[in-house]
Amino acid sequence: MEKDSDQLAETTCNMEQQTNQQERDPESNSLHRPLLKRNLTLSSSPLALVGTKVSYIESLDYEYMMGFFFMTGVNFMLTLGATLLVVFLAPTAAGPGIPEIKAYLNGVDTPNMYGAMPMFVKIIGSIGAVAAGLDLGKEGPLVHIGACIASLLGQGGPDNYRIRWRCIRYFNNDRDRRDIITCGASSGVCAAFRSPVGGVLFALEEVATWWRSALLWRTFFSTAVVVVVLRAFMEYCKAGDCGLFGQGGLIMFDVSGVSVRYHVVDLIPVTVIGIIGGVLGSLYNHLLHKVLRLYNLINDKGKFAKIMLSLAVSLFTSACLYGLPFLASCTPCDPSLVDSECPSTGRMGNFKQFNCPKGHYNDLATLLLTTNDDAVRNIFSTNTPSEYRVFSLVIFFLLYCILGLFTFGIAVPSGLFLPIILIGSAYGRLLGMAMGPYTTIDQGLYAVLGAASLMAGSMRMTVSLCVIFLELTNNLLLLPITMLVLLISKSVGDCFNPSIYEIILDLKGLPFLEAHPEPWMRNITVGELADVKPPVVTLCGIEKVSNIVDVLRNTSHNAFAVVDNQVVPAVGQVSEVHGLVLRAHLLLVLKKKWFLQERRRTEEWEVREKFTWVDVAERWGTIEDVAVTKEEMEMYVDLHPLTNTTPYTVVETMSVAKALVQFRQVGLRHMLILPKYHGPTVPPVVGILTRQDLRAHNILSAFPHLERSHASKKGR
Amino acid sequence: MEKDSDQLAETTCNMEQQTNQQERDPESNSLHRPLLKRNLTLSSSPLALVGTKVSYIESLDYEYMMGFFFMTGVNFMLTLGATLLVVFLAPTAAGPGIPEIKAYLNGVDTPNMYGAMPMFVKIIGSIGAVAAGLDLGKEGPLVHIGACIASLLGQGGPDNYRIRWRCIRYFNNDRDRRDIITCGASSGVCAAFRSPVGGVLFALEEVATWWRSALLWRTFFSTAVVVVVLRAFMEYCKAGDCGLFGQGGLIMFDVSGVSVRYHVVDLIPVTVIGIIGGVLGSLYNHLLHKVLRLYNLINDKGKFAKIMLSLAVSLFTSACLYGLPFLASCTPCDPSLVDSECPSTGRMGNFKQFNCPKGHYNDLATLLLTTNDDAVRNIFSTNTPSEYRVFSLVIFFLLYCILGLFTFGIAVPSGLFLPIILIGSAYGRLLGMAMGPYTTIDQGLYAVLGAASLMAGSMRMTVSLCVIFLELTNNLLLLPITMLVLLISKSVGDCFNPSIYEIILDLKGLPFLEAHPEPWMRNITVGELADVKPPVVTLCGIEKVSNIVDVLRNTSHNAFAVVDNQVVPAVGQVSEVHGLVLRAHLLLVLKKKWFLQERRRTEEWEVREKFTWVDVAERWGTIEDVAVTKEEMEMYVDLHPLTNTTPYTVVETMSVAKALVQFRQVGLRHMLILPKYHGPTVPPVVGILTRQDLRAHNILSAFPHLERSHASKKGR
């Protein structure tokens, strides 16, 4: 306790927890526990504090203890609920889900990611985790929820209860599925920040791999619908019937009230914010990487370990949120404010009384004992230069740095946006206070800039963050300096490490294909890559069933080259690449038992009779599900109708760098490698390249000398 | 004249032309010509008008005639100057330049587009044309100017006086040149609308063909710099020393003053605006297409015809701008306004007196006799429901429809944005007036929505327009309905015809490669395409000089296949495709006279000694510039070191649709077609595909049956 709060004459006990208590009118105090009169006389000497500690603790109110236990208990239960859901029903619902969506749009599917169960767990779990007062946001989960809804709508419902209408089948292909999931993700961002244009740009800048103008306009359409629906609900909820929903209208953290005046000299603090944001952001990425690796070890120990970890974080969070405000000193209310505004005892309000006497407020309690959204709103508040003490903001900043690092990896749905905004806004406001005499920019705007800088330093987005912050704060005149801050932070951060999502992608082992080939990829050809791979598996155009079953059982390839041996009039005996056949289609043939007694080509109508295009688009399980009798094993299959006769190809002399550009730009799964020379003894296909073959990490482990030459060049 | 303006007691003669008069303080009337008292008694009967016409014309003030001649004369001279510059110095500077930039980024270079001369003519010409009161904007030209500056910076100055620093050579490749021109274009939009994010999005949505996140962040950086510089100049010009520059601050058409309240029922007028905007926009595109075709015929007649056309449009414009306000009736000023505000006689001010008595203003003169920017600002003005009469707005709308169609094609730098905004805002405000009793949305906002809808209906952009309008008007709450209007207009417009830029691209005959292949392209293979082309020209790895000269003289190809005949141990005698050699590199060899006495391979060091990589990146003129002696003709050239040994390839069985995807996505100029079979009698390369081969129009003219089958399928 500090000196100026020695005389605690009256104390109101307000355990104002965000969502784990009932709706209550902030004006009426009738529900509050009766005020308790106490007389605490604490020694003002620090040495004497030790002596009086025991008596102080003894005299600590029973009500405070009850409040602590109540708050911690409710938080504990909520966290437990969210964790149990995630651990037992849908492990993929943990975390933000954005890296997985990013990987999906790059061509890497994470199983069980977009079903009904992950969506349900994500919704309920996210409500639980946010309500439990954990330091995590609902933004990432909303993006994932948006993607789940989009995926379910696109495929006509959950896997087992699909509606199979014609119009829905239209989406039953990779590209349209990707498009619709992109729309879902951008709608999620739009719903989270009420930022329609920001949502579109987020999808464009951070999530999507392939972009075309049609997609731009589709995502724009979906966010437009989201914002119109949001607006309609806000209209409906105006009377306050819907709790916290709709607070702040379409603009969540409005700072348009303050006029922005800045001069050339203000570029200095702006640059400083940018640099610090970049350094802090990359430091945050670095530390979070370490923590996540530690958590991975813990989480690998089993479900029980996961649950324990979540609960430990919850207990720690509750203890800090409740305990730390006692360290802060009380501030007298501004006399210009009405009594009901300061100090406030309800859920709302900028000036929480907590343990302070009448007419005073506890600024740290104002920040900690509220929803995360309100905390941001409080720190962003403009024209309030002396609302917060430096000490309180420093504690807030440190606390959220720690919580931000240790909360993200636990097994609940969690977003990264809000934790980073909280840290950033605190340091921004602190910087604003330090700059106070030398600048004309408001402290609240410094907080906004701080939040933006840390976001850019950690997530390395620019345009989308800029628009999201514009739409969050509704201050267009702030735009130029926001842009500068974002650019500086991103540049500084890029000097140290990759963005946080790339780090998570890497930790999750998702084979994400980068846009640009590494420089050393120019020094190796695809032919060399093919040489170190197992030899390519080829099938004949008309193949024996037993061979197909063998190949499917003994390899895990998803595509096989189909080669025909034939005599061409002017050329002579040649072996010709007919194309690529997919594992899924071989399984389809085996399941549908589409066998031939003799070695012959089929007619087109035979094929059309047997298969619909819906069959071809479906997934057909694994080879283990297929039962083939001994007689059938001796029969034949004509693979020609099911073969993709024009796969994209490269010649074996092509450098890996150029092959990678083609692979990624065209959006392929398999690419055939053709030989440089052709002749009777040369096989007509050298190999098949897949995503895994083209990943830098995999190439380097097969060709370690490339890394050395790369490193030595770098060192020079 | 209408009834209520019969008694014209006093008239001030204010030829308030926008830039062709000196700076003048709007408050002081000392420079104005003395007020002339007149008594005009016009009959109110229309029939009697004919009788009094002569006396009316006679009594028309000498001052009015002088004013008309002065204004028309100045406009005439300005137009003449701009046209002469364009016609004689840089014909490429005519028009907006955006379609050419779009084509350049797609891979089609228009000659003399990004030099110092087009830039100079564009800057001076655009100032002349805008000052001449023509109905055209400075936005398109600014985009082109931005691209020119970027290109000049990237190559180190104008063609003949280049700085050849190492750091500048970095940009001397196609990709970086494209990037830097994209940055220039986005900076141009940013400067035109003071809309940094809108500039980035414009470049992304409308201009760029290939997009990657690095480019996003580069364009964002350039617009950030633009906006900071702009801000600094505005700060400097605050005192009003820079004329009209900086008017309105960073927000050009601020409508943030009005609070936006809208309910579900307001969706109806919003939908109506969107639909009308879409229909009008596509109608505008259709008519402009016809006018431009007519103008092309006129402009083809020679330089004199071009100049005459410009001057005729200028005369017509001046006559309309000056004459039409006489048709409007005078409106009494709102008594709440100060005398200096209404009526105003200076350049500024919302209420022009023109021919009206004291205490009255002429609303049509307010709109017509001002800069186009101010006209937009006037129509967008909010909380002024009775400022404009329906009659005046209808005349304004019709006039600008006509001017907008007939001004664009003349030989001066001209942008499309502002004319469309003018038309759109007029019809939007008219619609707002008609809706008046049924809506809560302000008329000024209707004007904004009308402008947005017509833009989307004509240009078919969504996200970028949305952000540009947000940054123009600074009203975030308008965003949801702006989005809806844009989406509806674009959808409606897309039903009728392509966007205006695509129409212009097509008219200019630029071989723009669309993102998506046509459906019928799946029914034709690249082998069939190669069959109808002239046979492929191949060179040997070590080729005779005379052969090279022959090939270069007799063909216009830009790349040639290099084929080696050799004996490979395990395969036997084979002819192998070594790669592609570019015409530019063949010319380089001939110019540098890099010949060999005998048929032999050269060593790598020999090559390195002879050529620097700067040589390889330069352009080397045409074959006509090369002088080769008779002895040299018999010598040899080793093409291997200059050959691109790994060109991208397709097999001849590939469908054109898939080949087109690869061609465009990877961003190629040439693509080799490999044969399906290989053998001693089969050539190792079937053909080379270029952009022209893959254009839908060219394929259809070679294979007319495809169009028929396509059309018959469509008809079904």
Side-chain angles (χ1 to χ4, degrees):
Chain A
M1 301 309 265
E2 286 183 10
K3 284 180 193 175
D4 51 350
S5 61
D6 284 352
Q7 304 290 327
L8 297 176
E10 294 178 354
T11 311
T12 328
C13 181
N14 303 311
M15 276 99 276
E16 302 307 334
Q17 245 304 308
Q18 44 266 52
T19 43
N20 48 9
Q21 71 170 155
Q22 291 167 343
E23 196 72 12
R24 194 194 292 173
D25 186 359
E27 255 70 56
S28 101
N29 283 333
S30 58
L31 276 170
H32 291 170
R33 296 182 191 79
L35 302 180
L36 292 160
K37 307 244 172 202
R38 284 184 302 131
N39 283 305
L40 289 178
T41 314
L42 291 179
S43 165
S44 57
S45 138
L47 277 173
L49 259 175
V50 183
T52 55
K53 205 174 176 185
V54 179
S55 66
Y56 169 65
I57 288 173
E58 276 171 3
S59 70
L60 241 187
D61 213 341
Y62 170 73
E63 290 277 335
Y64 278 125
M65 294 303 286
M66 279 307 293
F68 175 71
F69 285 125
F70 181 69
M71 167 171 154
T72 311
V74 172
N75 285 353
F76 187 87
M77 295 312 293
L78 284 166
T79 312
L80 183 64
T83 312
L84 288 178
L85 276 176
V86 168
V87 169
F88 287 101
L89 293 182
T92 51
I98 295 176
E100 286 89 350
I101 297 171
K102 193 174 160 160
Y104 180 82
L105 298 179
N106 191 264
V108 189
D109 200 357
T110 313
N112 305 318
M113 195 70 198
Y114 307 104
M117 186 52 88
M119 185 180 75
F120 168 77
V121 171
K122 200 101 189 186
I123 294 174
I124 306 294
S126 182
I127 293 174
V130 171
L134 293 172
D135 176 31
L136 38 79
K138 58 188 188 305
E139 289 73 22
L142 270 172
V143 173
H144 187 187
I145 293 167
C148 288
I149 294 174
S151 166
L152 291 175
L153 285 179
Q155 68 178 29
D159 280 339
N160 306 326
Y161 308 96
R162 281 201 216 169
I163 306 162
R164 286 166 195 280
W165 292 336
R166 266 200 102 75
C167 60
I168 287 174
R169 282 181 198 162
Y170 172 75
F171 296 107
N172 211 348
N173 66 69
D174 280 346
R175 202 182 65 181
D176 284 305
R177 228 176 107 79
R178 273 204 302 267
D179 278 9
I180 205 167
I181 283 183
T182 312
C183 290
S186 60
S187 305
V189 176
C190 175
F193 295 111
R194 299 168 204 169
S195 157
V197 181
V200 172
L201 287 176
F202 178 82
L204 157 65
E205 191 174 6
E206 188 56 42
V207 183
T209 294
W210 295 283
W211 196 263
R212 53 223 164 76
S213 64
L215 189 53
L216 195 68
W217 124 264
R218 284 177 196 178
T219 49
F220 192 66
F221 181 79
S222 28
T223 60
V225 171
V226 169
V227 83
V228 167
V229 171
L230 213 55
R231 209 35 249 190
F233 273 109
M234 278 175 191
E235 194 77 16
Y236 177 78
C237 293
K238 230 180 201 168
D241 304 334
C242 323
L244 288 175
F245 176 78
Q247 231 183 34
L250 270 188
I251 295 144
M252 286 174 78
F253 309 130
D254 200 336
V255 296
S256 63
V258 66
S259 70
V260 184
R261 277 164 288 114
Y262 44 85
H263 306 284
V264 178
V265 78
D266 284 322
L267 287 180
I268 300 165
V270 164
T271 313
V272 172
I273 291 183
I275 293 172
I276 299 180
V279 172
L280 277 184
S282 55
L283 188 67
Y284 180 80
N285 288 3
H286 179 76
L287 295 176
L288 190 59
H289 187 189
K290 302 274 176 216
V291 172
L292 287 178
R293 276 167 69 175
L294 175 70
Y295 276 18
N296 274 355
L297 293 179
I298 298 174
N299 286 338
D300 284 348
K301 293 231 163 83
K303 293 177 175 175
F304 184 70
K306 280 189 188 182
I307 298 170
M308 282 298 112
L309 187 62
S310 291
L311 295 179
V313 170
S314 170
L315 285 180
F316 178 72
T317 306
S318 301
C320 290
L321 290 184
Y322 195 88
L324 288 175
F326 286 104
L327 295 180
S329 47
C330 293
T331 315
C333 286
D334 191 327
S336 65
L337 294 168
V338 201
D339 270 5
S340 63
E341 267 187 53
C342 177
S344 70
T345 50
R347 191 193 57 207
M348 320 284 286
N350 244 354
F351 307 95
K352 295 263 148 92
Q353 189 170 356
F354 197 60
N355 61 345
C356 291
K358 212 170 165 68
H360 290 65
Y361 69 94
N362 184 325
D363 57 348
L364 195 51
T366 298
L367 294 176
L368 294 181
L369 294 178
T370 182
T371 63
N372 288 341
D373 277 2
D374 270 338
V376 174
R377 217 167 275 140
N378 283 334
I379 300 190
F380 281 3
S381 70
T382 49
N383 297 323
T384 50
S386 55
E387 185 176 342
Y388 302 104
R389 286 159 191 267
V390 174
F391 178 72
S392 304
L393 279 176
V394 169
I395 289 189
F396 180 85
F397 173 69
L398 293 177
L399 171 65
Y400 274 92
C401 281
I402 296 166
L403 291 181
L405 286 172
F406 288 96
T407 309
F408 179 71
I410 63 175
V412 294
S414 58
L416 266 174
F417 281 96
L418 213 61
I420 294 180
I421 290 182
L422 282 169
I423 303 174
S425 57
Y427 109 78
R429 190 148 189 135
L430 277 171
L431 207 73
M433 285 174 164
M435 295 277 182
Y438 313 106
T439 184
T440 54
I441 304 177
D442 193 274
Q443 282 181 18
L445 300 186
Y446 267 102
V448 173
L449 293 177
S453 75
L454 200 64
M455 293 274 271
S458 173
M459 297 185 173
R460 311 291 156 79
M461 296 185 279
T462 49
V463 189
S464 50
L465 277 183
C466 184
V467 175
I468 288 176
F469 267 89
L470 172 64
E471 293 183 310
L472 279 178
T473 59
N474 190 17
N475 197 325
L476 194 57
L477 292 172
L478 199 60
L479 190 65
I481 41 178
T482 313
M483 288 175 86
L484 274 189
V485 163
L486 289 173
L487 286 168
I488 295 170
S489 297
K490 181 193 150 73
S491 313
V492 170
D494 276 341
C495 300
F496 297 109
N497 49 26
S499 85
I500 188 73
Y501 289 125
E502 280 173 52
I503 290 175
I504 298 172
L505 272 174
D506 194 54
L507 272 177
K508 294 206 180 237
L510 295 170
F512 192 83
L513 219 54
E514 291 299 331
H516 294 291
E518 304 281 339
W520 49 260
M521 287 186 181
R522 279 182 242 139
N523 307 328
I524 180 172
T525 66
V526 291
E528 291 173 76
L529 277 195
D531 285 345
V532 298
K533 283 184 71 173
V536 61
V537 178
T538 56
L539 298 170
C540 293
I542 298 159
E543 186 60 87
K544 243 181 150 177
V545 173
S546 57
N547 281 354
I548 295 177
V549 172
D550 272 359
V551 162
L552 290 181
R553 283 210 181 122
N554 298 329
T555 69
S556 58
H557 301 331
N558 276 312
F560 305 93
V562 177
V563 172
D564 270 342
N565 291 303
Q566 56 181 334
V567 178
V568 176
V571 184
Q573 165 80 30
V574 288
S575 57
E576 176 220 343
V577 186
H578 187 73
L580 269 184
V581 66
L582 296 180
R583 169 177 282 262
H585 294 166
L586 293 177
L587 286 170
L588 166 68
V589 165
L590 296 181
K591 284 229 171 167
K592 292 249 171 178
K593 303 221 176 280
W594 191 58
F595 304 140
L596 305 169
Q597 294 293 344
E598 72 277 28
R599 197 184 273 271
R600 70 164 173 92
R601 293 289 286 257
T602 46
E603 303 297 323
E604 208 182 319
W605 61 264
E606 285 184 87
V607 187
R608 244 188 263 139
E609 212 164 67
K610 197 78 184 176
F611 305 115
T612 64
W613 60 276
V614 178
D615 291 333
V616 175
E618 282 294 323
R619 297 183 189 178
W620 288 97
T622 62
I623 181 67
E624 277 70 40
D625 309 340
V626 177
V628 183
T629 64
K630 212 163 186 184
E631 292 84 62
E632 286 169 344
M633 281 291 198
E634 296 303 309
M635 291 160 84
Y636 294 94
V637 172
D638 179 10
L639 295 177
H640 293 100
L642 287 168
T643 303
N644 167 10
T645 55
T646 56
Y648 285 97
T649 56
V650 282
V651 179
E652 60 177 331
T653 49
M654 178 80 89
S655 75
V656 171
K658 287 176 85 173
L660 177 62
V661 168
Q662 176 173 338
F663 193 91
R664 188 181 186 278
Q665 288 297 106
V666 183
L668 301 176
R669 286 191 196 287
H670 307 97
M671 194 156 65
L672 275 190
I673 308 177
L674 300 182
K676 190 177 175 187
Y677 305 117
H678 292 254
T681 54
V682 181
V685 54
V686 175
I688 297 178
L689 281 182
T690 65
R691 165 183 299 267
Q692 291 286 1
D693 300 324
L694 291 170
R695 290 198 72 206
H697 180 259
N698 296 347
I699 299 176
L700 284 180
S701 57
F703 299 90
H705 67 278
L706 286 171
E707 187 159 41
R708 279 200 301 276
S709 74
H710 173 51
S712 70
K713 265 182 201 159
K714 240 187 175 175
R716 251 180 250 163
Chain B
M1 303 305 270
E2 284 185 10
K3 286 180 194 175
D4 51 353
S5 61
D6 284 352
Q7 305 290 327
L8 297 178
E10 294 179 353
T11 312
T12 327
C13 182
N14 303 311
M15 276 100 274
E16 301 307 334
Q17 244 306 307
Q18 44 264 54
T19 46
N20 48 8
Q21 70 167 161
Q22 293 166 342
E23 198 68 15
R24 198 193 289 173
D25 186 359
E27 255 70 57
S28 101
N29 283 333
S30 58
L31 277 171
H32 291 171
R33 297 181 191 79
L35 301 180
L36 293 161
K37 305 244 172 203
R38 284 184 303 135
N39 282 306
L40 291 176
T41 315
L42 293 178
S43 165
S44 55
S45 140
L47 276 173
L49 259 175
V50 181
T52 56
K53 204 174 177 184
V54 179
S55 67
Y56 168 65
I57 287 173
E58 277 171 5
S59 72
L60 240 188
D61 213 340
Y62 169 74
E63 290 275 337
Y64 278 125
M65 294 302 284
M66 280 306 293
F68 174 70
F69 286 124
F70 182 69
M71 168 171 154
T72 311
V74 172
N75 285 353
F76 188 86
M77 294 311 293
L78 284 167
T79 312
L80 183 65
T83 313
L84 288 178
L85 277 177
V86 168
V87 169
F88 287 101
L89 292 181
T92 50
I98 295 176
E100 285 90 349
I101 298 171
K102 195 175 159 161
Y104 180 81
L105 298 179
N106 190 265
V108 189
D109 199 357
T110 313
N112 304 320
M113 195 69 198
Y114 307 103
M117 187 53 88
M119 184 180 77
F120 169 77
V121 172
K122 201 102 191 185
I123 294 175
I124 306 294
S126 182
I127 293 174
V130 171
L134 294 171
D135 177 31
L136 38 78
K138 59 187 188 307
E139 289 72 22
L142 270 172
V143 173
H144 186 186
I145 293 166
C148 287
I149 295 174
S151 167
L152 290 175
L153 285 179
Q155 68 179 30
D159 280 340
N160 306 326
Y161 307 97
R162 280 200 217 168
I163 306 163
R164 288 169 192 279
W165 291 337
R166 268 202 101 76
C167 59
I168 287 173
R169 284 181 196 159
Y170 173 74
F171 296 106
N172 211 348
N173 66 69
D174 280 347
R175 200 183 67 182
D176 284 305
R177 229 177 105 79
R178 273 204 303 267
D179 278 10
I180 204 166
I181 282 183
T182 313
C183 290
S186 61
S187 306
V189 176
C190 173
F193 296 110
R194 298 170 203 168
S195 155
V197 182
V200 173
L201 289 175
F202 178 83
L204 158 66
E205 190 174 9
E206 187 56 42
V207 183
T209 295
W210 296 284
W211 196 264
R212 54 223 163 75
S213 65
L215 190 51
L216 195 67
W217 124 264
R218 283 176 196 179
T219 49
F220 191 66
F221 181 79
S222 29
T223 60
V225 172
V226 169
V227 83
V228 167
V229 171
L230 213 54
R231 213 24 255 200
F233 272 109
M234 279 174 190
E235 193 76 16
Y236 177 77
C237 293
K238 228 181 203 167
D241 305 333
C242 323
L244 288 175
F245 175 77
Q247 233 184 31
L250 270 188
I251 294 143
M252 287 174 79
F253 309 129
D254 199 336
V255 296
S256 63
V258 66
S259 71
V260 185
R261 275 164 289 115
Y262 42 86
H263 306 286
V264 178
V265 78
D266 283 321
L267 287 181
I268 299 165
V270 164
T271 314
V272 172
I273 291 185
I275 292 172
I276 299 181
V279 172
L280 277 186
S282 55
L283 188 66
Y284 181 80
N285 287 3
H286 179 74
L287 295 177
L288 190 60
H289 187 191
K290 302 275 177 218
V291 172
L292 288 179
R293 275 166 69 174
L294 175 70
Y295 275 19
N296 274 354
L297 293 180
I298 298 175
N299 286 337
D300 284 347
K301 294 231 164 84
K303 291 177 178 177
F304 185 69
K306 279 188 188 181
I307 298 170
M308 282 299 112
L309 186 63
S310 291
L311 295 180
V313 169
S314 169
L315 286 180
F316 178 72
T317 307
S318 299
C320 290
L321 291 184
Y322 196 86
L324 288 174
F326 287 103
L327 296 179
S329 48
C330 293
T331 316
C333 285
D334 192 326
S336 66
L337 293 168
V338 201
D339 268 4
S340 63
E341 267 187 53
C342 177
S344 71
T345 51
R347 191 192 57 211
M348 319 287 285
N350 244 354
F351 307 94
K352 294 263 147 92
Q353 191 172 354
F354 198 58
N355 61 345
C356 291
K358 214 170 163 68
H360 290 66
Y361 68 94
N362 183 325
D363 56 348
L364 194 51
T366 299
L367 293 176
L368 293 181
L369 294 177
T370 183
T371 63
N372 288 342
D373 278 3
D374 270 337
V376 174
R377 217 167 276 139
N378 283 334
I379 300 190
F380 281 3
S381 69
T382 48
N383 297 322
T384 50
S386 55
E387 185 175 343
Y388 301 104
R389 284 158 193 269
V390 174
F391 177 72
S392 304
L393 279 176
V394 168
I395 290 190
F396 181 86
F397 173 69
L398 292 177
L399 171 66
Y400 273 93
C401 281
I402 295 167
L403 291 182
L405 285 173
F406 287 95
T407 308
F408 180 72
I410 63 174
V412 295
S414 58
L416 267 173
F417 280 95
L418 212 61
I420 294 180
I421 290 182
L422 282 169
I423 304 174
S425 56
Y427 109 79
R429 191 151 187 132
L430 277 171
L431 206 75
M433 285 175 165
M435 294 278 181
Y438 312 107
T439 181
T440 54
I441 304 179
D442 192 275
Q443 281 180 18
L445 300 186
Y446 267 101
V448 174
L449 293 178
S453 75
L454 199 65
M455 292 273 271
S458 173
M459 299 188 172
R460 312 290 157 78
M461 295 185 279
T462 49
V463 190
S464 50
L465 276 184
C466 183
V467 175
I468 288 176
F469 268 89
L470 172 64
E471 293 183 309
L472 280 178
T473 59
N474 190 17
N475 196 326
L476 195 57
L477 292 171
L478 199 61
L479 190 66
I481 41 179
T482 313
M483 289 174 86
L484 274 190
V485 163
L486 289 173
L487 286 167
I488 295 169
S489 297
K490 182 192 150 73
S491 314
V492 171
D494 276 341
C495 300
F496 296 108
N497 48 26
S499 85
I500 187 73
Y501 289 126
E502 280 173 53
I503 289 175
I504 298 174
L505 272 174
D506 194 51
L507 271 177
K508 294 206 180 239
L510 295 170
F512 192 83
L513 219 55
E514 291 298 333
H516 294 292
E518 304 280 340
W520 50 260
M521 287 187 181
R522 279 182 242 138
N523 306 330
I524 179 171
T525 66
V526 290
E528 291 172 77
L529 276 195
D531 286 344
V532 298
K533 284 185 70 173
V536 61
V537 178
T538 56
L539 297 171
C540 295
I542 299 162
E543 186 61 87
K544 243 182 149 178
V545 174
S546 57
N547 282 353
I548 295 178
V549 173
D550 272 1
V551 161
L552 290 182
R553 283 212 180 120
N554 298 329
T555 68
S556 58
H557 301 329
N558 276 314
F560 305 92
V562 177
V563 173
D564 270 340
N565 292 302
Q566 56 180 332
V567 180
V568 176
V571 184
Q573 166 81 29
V574 288
S575 58
E576 175 219 344
V577 185
H578 187 71
L580 267 185
V581 66
L582 296 180
R583 168 178 282 260
H585 293 165
L586 292 178
L587 285 169
L588 167 68
V589 166
L590 295 181
K591 283 229 171 169
K592 293 249 170 176
K593 302 218 176 283
W594 192 57
F595 305 140
L596 305 169
Q597 294 292 346
E598 71 279 27
R599 198 183 272 272
R600 70 166 174 93
R601 293 288 287 258
T602 46
E603 304 296 322
E604 206 180 320
W605 61 264
E606 284 184 87
V607 188
R608 241 188 264 142
E609 214 163 64
K610 196 79 183 177
F611 305 114
T612 64
W613 61 276
V614 178
D615 291 333
V616 175
E618 282 296 322
R619 297 183 188 180
W620 289 96
T622 62
I623 180 68
E624 277 71 39
D625 308 340
V626 178
V628 184
T629 63
K630 212 162 185 184
E631 293 82 63
E632 285 169 347
M633 281 291 197
E634 295 306 307
M635 292 162 85
Y636 294 93
V637 173
D638 180 12
L639 295 177
H640 293 101
L642 288 169
T643 305
N644 167 10
T645 54
T646 55
Y648 286 97
T649 56
V650 284
V651 178
E652 58 177 332
T653 47
M654 176 81 88
S655 75
V656 171
K658 286 176 85 172
L660 178 61
V661 168
Q662 177 173 338
F663 193 90
R664 187 181 187 279
Q665 288 298 105
V666 183
L668 301 177
R669 287 192 195 286
H670 308 97
M671 195 156 64
L672 276 188
I673 308 177
L674 300 182
K676 190 177 176 186
Y677 305 117
H678 291 255
T681 55
V682 181
V685 54
V686 175
I688 297 179
L689 281 182
T690 65
R691 167 183 298 268
Q692 291 287 0
D693 299 325
L694 291 170
R695 290 197 74 206
H697 179 259
N698 296 346
I699 299 175
L700 285 179
S701 57
F703 299 90
H705 68 277
L706 285 171
E707 188 160 37
R708 280 199 301 276
S709 74
H710 172 51
S712 69
K713 263 183 202 159
K714 243 189 176 175
R716 249 181 251 163

